[in-house]
Amino acid sequence: MSKRTFRVWRGDNNGGTFRTYEVEVDPGMVVLDVLHRIQANDANDLALRWNCKAGKCGSCSMEINGKPKLSCMTRMNIFAPDETITVQPLKTFPVIKDLVTDVSWNYEQNKRIPKFKPRPREADGTHRMYQEDVDRVQEFRKCIECYLCQDTCHVLRDRSRNDAFVGPRFMIRLASLEMHPLDDDDRIPEIRKEFGSGLCNITRCCTEVCPEHINITDNGIIPLKERVVDRYFDPVAIIGRKLLGIRRRTKSRAEGK
Ligand code: SF4
Ligand code: SF4
Ligand code: FES
């Protein structure tokens, strides 16, 4: 057991301040355990959100020493023995109380995305897909909706462009639909316009913080941006499509995207 210093942001939407707590920390503890100990011994009214304590529900997101992290997956032994640990709510979203933020804007973005639209079945009644295409979208389905990527994306965090950009979490949801081998919707115009793909300048900060190690930028956002460029800015592709009467690129990599 060792004594550690925690600075925890306390307050609400009207403002707040950091309060310091000295806590006895046992071997094997994660930051969430320490916050629970503070809650039990020093600050019964400390508000924080958690559910699974296993890195799977996405509820315990906060900023720990300035980095967006899941508190249940942040081990105490990664910090130097004399290091003060500063814990604060996600900066990108409004604070409700202490470490709890209002992430409902994200739910609204989710609702704006048109749902999966499967193409008609083949003549024999089947829906055939190449394994390669299935594997590609499977990565995006690992998302636990922790919104750490949304928190760190400078377009939302520093430029407050949530009027024009849906954020990395929903870019990969759009990618999971746009790249789905059975989806028949033409999503490229709205990915460009309504969802703001052009605002992402591929800094990869979102990929760095994703606890599910989803390659958000390289596997999700960049392919979407490429499809937008092909559609709107590549003169050869535009003329080719016009001559051949092709409405859009095929969605499938296996079919020769
Ligand atoms: S890569 Fe794009 S979505 Fe990801 S953090 Fe950077 S600007 Fe935001
Ligand atoms: S993409 Fe990763 S960081 Fe973003 S919400 Fe999903 S799990 Fe969290
Ligand atoms: S409590 Fe579920 S991800 Fe941390």
Side-chain angles (χ1 to χ4, degrees):
M1 195 183 273
S2 63
K3 191 156 249 180
R4 304 299 304 262
T5 305
F6 262 64
R7 286 175 72 240
V8 181
W9 194 88
R10 305 293 313 274
D12 57 26
N13 213 10
N14 298 315
T17 186
F18 285 98
R19 288 205 210 141
T20 301
Y21 302 95
E22 301 291 332
V23 203
E24 293 291 351
V25 173
D26 302 331
M29 273 185 155
V30 293
V31 167
L32 182 62
D33 293 323
V34 182
L35 292 171
H36 280 155
R37 187 161 280 179
I38 292 170
Q39 205 178 37
N41 298 336
D42 303 301
N44 302 153
D45 60 343
L46 172 64
L48 64 132
R49 202 185 260 136
W50 70 286
N51 277 291
C52 69
K53 201 174 173 273
K56 287 296 161 207
C57 72
S59 305
C60 67
S61 301
M62 55 187 73
E63 297 189 9
I64 302 171
N65 283 1
K67 296 209 172 93
K69 281 180 176 292
L70 297 179
S71 61
C72 74
M73 299 303 284
T74 307
R75 293 194 167 276
M76 286 300 298
N77 63 8
I78 66 168
F79 302 107
D82 57 349
E83 191 172 352
T84 296
I85 293 125
T86 302
V87 183
Q88 60 198 102
L90 301 178
K91 184 194 163 196
T92 300
F93 303 108
V95 174
I96 297 174
K97 184 174 186 304
D98 302 334
L99 300 174
V100 176
T101 49
D102 177 2
V103 293
S104 56
W105 178 78
N106 295 290
Y107 309 143
E108 297 306 316
Q109 304 319 300
N110 207 26
K111 283 188 215 156
R112 290 172 60 214
I113 296 177
K115 62 183 181 185
F116 177 59
K117 187 178 161 200
R119 62 171 151 78
R121 289 182 185 276
E122 289 162 45
D124 61 1
T126 60
H127 257 147
R128 282 192 188 79
M129 295 181 280
Y130 290 93
Q131 188 61 46
E132 188 186 1
D133 290 331
V134 175
D135 292 345
R136 181 164 57 161
V137 292
Q138 197 60 29
E139 177 186 12
F140 307 133
R141 299 181 65 89
K142 291 192 301 177
C143 175
I144 59 171
E145 301 203 317
C146 64
Y147 303 128
L148 294 178
C149 58
Q150 301 285 88
D151 181 54
T152 206
C153 175
H154 68 99
V155 181
L156 305 176
R157 183 184 181 97
D158 302 322
R159 296 175 57 203
S160 301
R161 288 307 312 274
N162 33 2
D163 60 319
F165 184 48
V166 77
R169 186 281 171 268
F170 298 105
M171 289 303 285
I172 59 156
R173 175 148 152 63
L174 286 160
S176 75
L177 291 162
E178 166 59 22
M179 295 176 192
H180 196 295
L182 294 184
D183 184 74
D184 204 26
D185 204 2
D186 180 10
R187 299 174 185 274
I188 294 302
E190 59 198 14
I191 284 170
R192 178 190 180 208
K193 203 159 175 223
E194 277 84 10
F195 299 121
S197 61
L199 281 161
C200 164
N201 51 5
I202 55 176
T203 55
R204 296 189 173 85
C205 313
C206 50
T207 303
E208 278 171 28
V209 300
C210 178
E212 284 295 311
H213 307 292
I214 301 168
N215 203 334
I216 301 170
T217 322
D218 287 31
N219 292 350
I221 299 177
I222 290 176
L224 291 185
K225 287 167 84 68
E226 284 172 351
R227 289 171 188 218
V228 168
V229 168
D230 276 5
R231 175 74 64 89
Y232 293 100
F233 305 108
D234 180 348
V236 177
I238 292 168
I239 291 166
R241 267 197 305 275
K242 280 197 174 144
L243 288 174
L244 297 169
I246 299 170
R247 184 168 64 95
R248 62 184 167 85
R249 295 164 63 156
T250 170
K251 285 164 174 277
S252 162
R253 177 189 281 170
E255 286 167 6
K257 162 181 85 125

